[in-house]
Amino acid sequence: MNIRGKLGSFLITLLMVSLSFMVFDIFLVVSWNMGEVLRKEQENVGIEIFLMDDISEVEAVNLADIISGLEGVRSVYYVSPGEAETVFRADLPEQADLLTLLGPQFHLPASIQIGLYPDYRTSEKVGSLARIVSGMDGVEDVVYGKEYLPGLTRAVDILEKLVILAGLVLAVSISLVVANTVRLAVAKRALTVQIMSIVGAPGWFVRMPFLGEGLLTGIAGSTGSLLLTGAVSWMLMSSVPHEFIPGKWIMLVLILGASSGVAGSWLGMKSGIPKPRS
Amino acid sequence: MMITFQNVSRFYNEWPALESINFQVDQGEFLIISGPSGAGKTTVFRQIWMGDLPSSGVVEVVGFRSDRIRRGDLPLLRRKLGIVFQDFRLLSDRTVYDNVALPLQVIGTSPKAVRRRVFSLLSEMELNHRRGSYPHELSGGEQQRVAIARAMVAHPVILLADEPTGNLDPEVSRRVIDLLIEINRSGTAVILATHDPRQVPAGIARFLYLDRGHLVNPNLWGGYRQL
Ligand SMILES: Nc1ncnc2c1ncn2[C@@H]1O[C@H](COP(=O)(O)OP(=O)(O)O)[C@@H](O)[C@H]1O
Ligand SMILES: [Mg+2]
């Protein structure tokens, strides 16, 4: 095989590796964005407490202090009747007449908005926190997404498991495809391996170039797949708004590429190196 | 002794390719192993360079024993040997120069010393004008002489030639055999497997005959005289 033939078959191997990893990359992008939607949804998960009419502002602030000490509570914000009205007028200007109609004696209830730490945004934990605060003095009503929270929590749970499971299956099968592609490319040069070892080359001397080639193919192939996927993602960005995968996941793809490339060249060499007793 | 076979047998799926083989090769000897195709000649060679190990018995080559050798010792053993095959086995993507230089490069010889040795060997073997060519640009005889140069470049103590003239016509074969004789004269032990022992003039070589994995006693076998 001449130099051009060698380069040609290297490029073909590279393309195979890139396309295989692209399947994995696209899966990662889709999973990441589905997760992102759910995470955004979860960020809005919080508890709103409406206070009794006869609670003074001092008592309300005290209550807020107590609540901020509870486990899982990240932020507490006291909304006075005056602020509630301002917000109401700003949010629903066409309904502002309603307030005027009800007269100056009427005022919206004061409330406390509770923000939660991410781990506490599940339906179970929000529910138990809601039960605790609903028993507190001066609390009229507690509102949280009782209806949609269980579904959201389950969706997040299922997606997480699905991504891990499907990700593992894909990672294993694509690594096998890549390893096999590199193995075949290396096995084509079995004669080189055989002659090297017959003329007394040390084991590492025989293996180095092949492992190097496997490593290079794996890294270049997975980088290529990321570039291809990135290009596709960029082209679709305006019609289907989404995010590309984060740096950590990109590293994962590169590491997977490098290790399957090395594993493939290792297996490929095994068929070439003559060893005692087969 | 450079090589000792002690009761060596090699079975492939219970079928004996070699059975109870005993022989020795001394320093600087010329040994011919003859016998029909499938007799076990290549298997004997493979036991010598330990690309394969006996099923029973012991092969000892330049101090390495088949029953004790470790993976890491194989390169050390093989650096004492030069090996030539019927099908040349040159690396097609390297020039004549690079093919011949390979055994020196793998042991870390300096590029300058590699050049000196390869140039002098190539001109000795009248291959200097071919040093930039690729194997497919050479005739069969030239390819085999390049393979012999590769086998000899690192000064082995034993040259193994497994039917080196099997793919060559008689005229070219003679030149290859003459080369082996010359190599042996300069002190290297040569083991030659061949169908046709008449290629080597009588009196130069000792002679073993293999038949279906058994060594036939050369004293009982009058074949050489008959041939
Ligand atoms: N790797 C192997 N696996 C199975 N049988 C083999 C193997 N190598 C050689 N043989 C068998 O051993 C016998 C001797 O083969 P070989 O040494 O190549 O003979 P020769 O070189 O004299 O022609 C043959 O019957 C051959 O089929
Ligand atoms: Mg043979």
Side-chain angles (χ1 to χ4, degrees):
Chain A
M1 214 186 322
N2 57 16
I3 301 294
R4 185 181 294 172
K6 241 178 164 176
L7 187 66
S9 66
F10 177 71
L11 289 178
I12 287 171
T13 306
L14 209 58
L15 190 67
M16 294 262 312
V17 173
S18 289
L19 292 178
S20 308
F21 267 116
M22 217 179 139
V23 174
F24 189 56
D25 298 348
I26 289 170
F27 166 79
L28 290 181
V29 171
V30 170
S31 320
W32 173 255
N33 281 280
M34 281 167 66
E36 203 55 357
V37 168
L38 292 180
R39 268 189 295 280
K40 288 247 164 68
E41 209 48 54
Q42 266 195 320
E43 257 165 43
N44 297 327
V45 171
I47 301 175
E48 193 165 18
I49 308 171
F50 292 99
L51 303 179
M52 290 171 175
D53 267 355
D54 55 0
I55 294 283
S56 73
E57 186 153 345
V58 178
E59 285 169 313
V61 172
N62 267 340
L63 185 60
D65 269 351
I66 294 168
I67 291 170
S68 72
L70 294 175
E71 196 187 331
V73 174
R74 179 158 78 171
S75 63
V76 223
Y77 184 70
Y78 168 67
V79 183
S80 69
E83 193 178 339
E85 191 176 327
T86 314
V87 170
F88 185 88
R89 281 180 193 280
D91 281 359
L92 306 160
E94 66 276 17
Q95 313 254 327
D97 293 346
L98 198 66
L99 288 178
T100 326
L101 208 73
L102 286 166
Q105 283 87 358
F106 176 81
H107 58 86
L108 288 168
S111 64
I112 294 174
Q113 289 174 352
I114 305 175
L116 301 170
Y117 284 108
D119 284 354
Y120 289 83
R121 289 173 193 156
T122 66
S123 81
E124 211 175 281
K125 288 183 169 161
V126 173
S128 74
L129 197 62
R131 266 192 305 282
I132 293 171
V133 294
S134 67
M136 290 178 164
D137 279 346
V139 174
E140 170 88 54
D141 197 9
V142 177
V143 175
Y144 67 97
K146 213 180 267 176
E147 299 76 28
Y148 75 86
L149 248 185
L152 180 64
T153 305
R154 196 157 350 105
V156 170
D157 220 40
I158 289 173
L159 184 74
E160 231 164 48
K161 289 201 176 107
L162 209 70
V163 167
I164 291 174
L165 191 76
L168 276 179
V169 170
L170 262 179
V172 168
S173 54
I174 284 169
S175 301
L176 286 178
V177 169
V178 168
N180 197 49
T181 308
V182 176
R183 183 183 71 80
L184 290 176
V186 167
K188 264 194 218 153
R189 303 223 304 278
L191 179 64
T192 307
V193 173
Q194 190 202 41
I195 294 304
M196 288 265 191
S197 75
I198 275 178
V199 301
W204 60 264
F205 190 99
V206 179
R207 287 187 199 106
M208 264 324 182
F210 291 94
L211 292 181
E213 182 183 320
L215 186 70
L216 183 72
T217 311
I219 291 179
S222 48
T223 305
S225 78
L226 288 166
L227 292 176
L228 288 174
T229 311
V232 171
S233 149
W234 183 77
M235 283 191 292
L236 292 179
M237 193 59 88
S238 52
S239 50
V240 190
H242 64 277
E243 285 180 20
F244 199 62
I245 50 174
K248 254 191 214 161
W249 290 27
I250 290 177
M251 279 308 292
L252 178 82
V253 172
L254 293 177
I255 289 170
L256 209 61
S259 46
S260 51
V262 169
S265 52
W266 188 270
L267 293 173
M269 277 183 308
K270 274 201 159 173
S271 53
I273 294 179
K275 54 180 178 305
R277 183 109 4 137
S278 43
Chain B
M1 285 300 145
M2 302 254 83
I3 298 175
T4 308
F5 273 57
Q6 269 173 55
N7 242 346
V8 171
S9 300
R10 177 58 167 117
F11 296 91
Y12 290 116
N13 312 317
E14 328 231 326
W15 175 265
L18 295 178
E19 201 162 18
S20 308
I21 300 295
N22 290 284
F23 71 87
Q24 298 187 326
V25 180
D26 218 340
Q27 200 164 350
E29 245 194 302
F30 197 134
L31 180 71
I32 294 174
I33 301 179
S34 190
S37 150
K41 304 180 290 296
T42 299
T43 305
V44 166
F45 277 80
R46 230 185 274 135
Q47 309 300 311
I48 295 174
W49 58 270
M50 298 194 193
D52 187 37
L53 295 175
S55 308
S56 65
V58 176
V59 177
E60 187 171 344
V61 183
V62 292
F64 294 96
R65 285 174 59 104
S66 60
D67 56 346
R68 297 204 194 123
I69 193 156
R70 287 166 305 145
R71 197 182 248 280
D73 292 332
L74 290 173
L76 305 180
L77 162 68
R78 291 173 190 168
R79 285 170 206 173
K80 305 267 187 208
L81 310 175
I83 309 179
V84 176
F85 303 91
Q86 179 173 347
D87 56 359
F88 322 136
R89 300 200 193 172
L90 298 173
L91 299 180
S92 58
D93 58 348
R94 294 173 199 232
T95 60
V96 166
Y97 178 92
D98 287 326
N99 267 283
V100 174
L102 187 68
L104 295 176
Q105 287 164 345
V106 304
I107 56 174
T109 310
S110 76
K112 206 172 153 192
V114 171
R115 280 177 68 84
R116 203 179 316 125
R117 171 64 180 152
V118 173
F119 275 124
S120 87
L121 186 60
L122 286 179
S123 55
E124 213 175 288
M125 294 178 65
E126 293 166 36
L127 284 165
N128 219 346
H129 60 296
R130 286 305 209 173
R131 66 172 182 270
S133 305
Y134 286 88
H136 70 269
E137 298 167 333
L138 306 181
S139 71
E142 283 173 322
Q143 288 189 51
Q144 193 58 295
R145 283 190 294 129
V146 172
I148 293 172
R150 178 179 69 189
M152 293 306 297
V153 76
H155 302 286
V157 293
I158 304 168
L159 177 65
L160 304 174
D162 190 0
E163 305 200 43
T165 60
N167 288 350
L168 306 176
D169 50 43
E171 187 70 25
V172 180
S173 295
R174 201 165 310 131
R175 189 151 177 210
V176 168
I177 296 294
D178 286 345
L179 190 56
L180 296 182
I181 293 171
E182 205 176 298
I183 286 167
N184 177 247
R185 273 207 197 105
S186 65
T188 309
V190 173
I191 305 180
L192 168 67
T194 177
H195 282 101
D196 180 8
R198 286 172 303 182
Q199 288 177 310
V200 181
I204 289 178
R206 186 156 65 94
F207 184 64
L208 292 180
Y209 190 82
L210 264 179
D211 189 19
R212 278 164 289 174
H214 295 263
L215 266 185
V216 177
N217 188 334
N219 297 323
L220 299 178
W221 189 79
Y224 189 45
R225 231 156 291 232
Q226 281 170 20
L227 280 165

